[in-house]
């Protein structure tokens, strides 16, 4: 036991758990400890059990083009991993639009005149595009036309980021909706695709755990423990001790008190800004400044139980109307097993905000009141049918791609490279708005770097690889 190499994984979300599982499944001689500050594993992919109802922290489709990631999922849950049909729509100006956008539905809702104006806007943009795509508004307009941007992207984008689309970096669009375009929508409408060659934004079915997204990560955590790994919940990393360019020890605080762990390797999924702050000294002024300049957007979910059997058929709905609510998750449509009483409906009413702002600090009872009022405004629920609910707040959920984030991220990356036994993975650890499968693959890469005692695999390139990202099977 004393001779075992100790690998400390910070964070028990998909990336951290994947890294720990990969190390232990390949080399049982190593001591792996996963440290998680919250009471349960899963990160932003956790599921809450509340009075026998199950609520996800957020909606997460299980779809990947990577066979190793898919194998982990299927090996973990087996028959508890269900095939689900996708239905998601946009609520805009009192009407529902299919998402991904479908031509006949758009024409019907917008009307013939506005549809022709949309087409004209698209053609005009093709002949006179923005020569430089410096922000998300320009990136989307060049691919869809200005009017489509105004109708279907502007309001929701500003809700999500809290800033105009003209201040959001174009690389967010390139990363998240790269494969989606007018030609792709037309091609998908005329010649439906199947299998892993489908553009992710256009898939019509996906896999899902029987009892919510968190069931997957609870199971992976159980398997880690069976392989003699340790998972310390409600444990926060406070201090790092550095010797000869390596992290030698880490101080961890928990309800039981403080303890110091000697480490050989560290894989971190904590926000890269927090990591940089904790590792930098007073002389690292540029690093501290960069950490303060990088921003994360947070969200909160108003989870409600309604006395209503007839919920809407969507898995989730994007709310583009001018209410504060940004998205609604319908958990009965993700999995009927998440709602134990068929006569009831369980919803997650999602609001994007900044940690510490007025919405974030609002009392839970007032947030539930606001959620039910807005649910009634958009016609998807009635206040009188509310039975029970709670609020979940998720800090640092979305790395903000503003105009300067690349510059500040580069400073932090250069600084972290000085620590030869440190790797960062996951959405927060890489400051990269990636999907679950990208996070898991980054965890695999980090684990293999540890197992091979080198750094041949670059975790930073996973979600930048165009072939992997959207278009072709690996």
């Amino acid at each position: 036991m004393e001779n075992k190499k100790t690998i400390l994984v910070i964070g028990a979300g998909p990336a951290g758990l994947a890294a720990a599982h990969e190390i232990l499944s390949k080399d049982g001689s190593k001591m792996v400890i996963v440290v998680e500050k919250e009471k349960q594993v899963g990160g932003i992919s956790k599921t809450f059990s509340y009075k026998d109802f199950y609520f996800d922290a957020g909606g997460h489709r299980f779809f990947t083009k990577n066979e190793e990631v898919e194998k982990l999922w299927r090996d973990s849950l087996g028959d508890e991993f269900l095939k689900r049909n996708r239905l998601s729509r946009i609520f805009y100006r009192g009407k529902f639009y299919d998402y991904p956008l479908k031509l006949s539905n758009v024409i019907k809702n917008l009307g013939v005149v506005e549809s022709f104006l949309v087409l004209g806007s698209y053609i005009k943009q093709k002949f006179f595009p923005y020569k430089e795509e410096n922000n998300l508004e320009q990136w989307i307009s060049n691919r869809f036309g200005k009017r489509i941007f105004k109708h279907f992207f502007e309001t929701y984008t500003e809700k999500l980021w809290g800033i105009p689309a003209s201040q959001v970096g174009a690389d967010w669009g390139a990363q998240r909706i790269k494969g989606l375009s007018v030609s792709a929508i037309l091609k998908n409408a005329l010649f439906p695709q199947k299998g892993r060659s489908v553009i992710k934004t256009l898939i019509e079915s996906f896999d899902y755990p029987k009892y919510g997204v968190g069931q997957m990560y609870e199971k992976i955590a159980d398997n880690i423990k069976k392989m003699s790994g340790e998972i310390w919940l409600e444990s926060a990393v406070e201090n790092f001790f550095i010797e000869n360019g390596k992290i030698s020890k880490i101080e961890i605080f928990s309800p039981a008190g403080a303890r110091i762990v000697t480490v050989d390797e560290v894989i971190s999924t904590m926000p890269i800004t927090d990591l940089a702050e904790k590792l930098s000294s007073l002389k690292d002024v540029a690093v501290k400044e960069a950490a303060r300049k990088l921003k994360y957007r947070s969200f909160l979910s108003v989870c409600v139980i309604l006395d209503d059997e007839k919920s809407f058929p969507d898995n989730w709905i994007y709310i583009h109307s001018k209410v504060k609510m940004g998205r609604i998750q319908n958990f009965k449509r993700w999995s009927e097993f998440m709602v134990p009483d068929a006569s009831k409906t369980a919803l997650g009413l999602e609001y994007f905000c900044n940690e510490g702002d007025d919405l974030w600090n609002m009392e839970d009872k007032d947030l539930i009141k606001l959620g039910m009022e807005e649910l009634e405004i958009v016609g998807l629920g009635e206040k009188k049918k509310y039975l029970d609910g709670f609020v979940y707040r998720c800090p640092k959920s979305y790395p903000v791609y503003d105009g300067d984030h690349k510059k500040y991220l580069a400073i932090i990356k250069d600084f972290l490279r000085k620590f030869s036994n440190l790797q960062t993975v996951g959405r927060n650890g890489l400051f990269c708005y990636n999907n679950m499968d990208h996070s898991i693959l980054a965890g695999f890469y980090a684990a293999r770097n540890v197992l091979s005692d080198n750094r041949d695999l670059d975790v930073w390139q996973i979600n930048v690889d165009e072939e992997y990202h959207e278009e072709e099977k690996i």
Side-chain angles (χ1 to χ4, degrees), residues 420-437:
S420 61
N421 63 338
L422 170 66
Q423 298 178 85
T424 63
V425 295
R427 180 182 286 193
N428 283 347
L430 297 174
F431 200 81
C432 181
Y433 191 165
N434 55 17
N435 292 320
M436 285 192 302
D437 59 333

Side-chain angles (χ1 to χ4, degrees), residues 433-448:
Y433 191 165
N434 55 17
N435 292 320
M436 285 192 302
D437 59 333
H438 294 121
S439 291
I440 289 172
L441 193 58
F444 285 169
Y445 277 23
R448 289 164 191 170

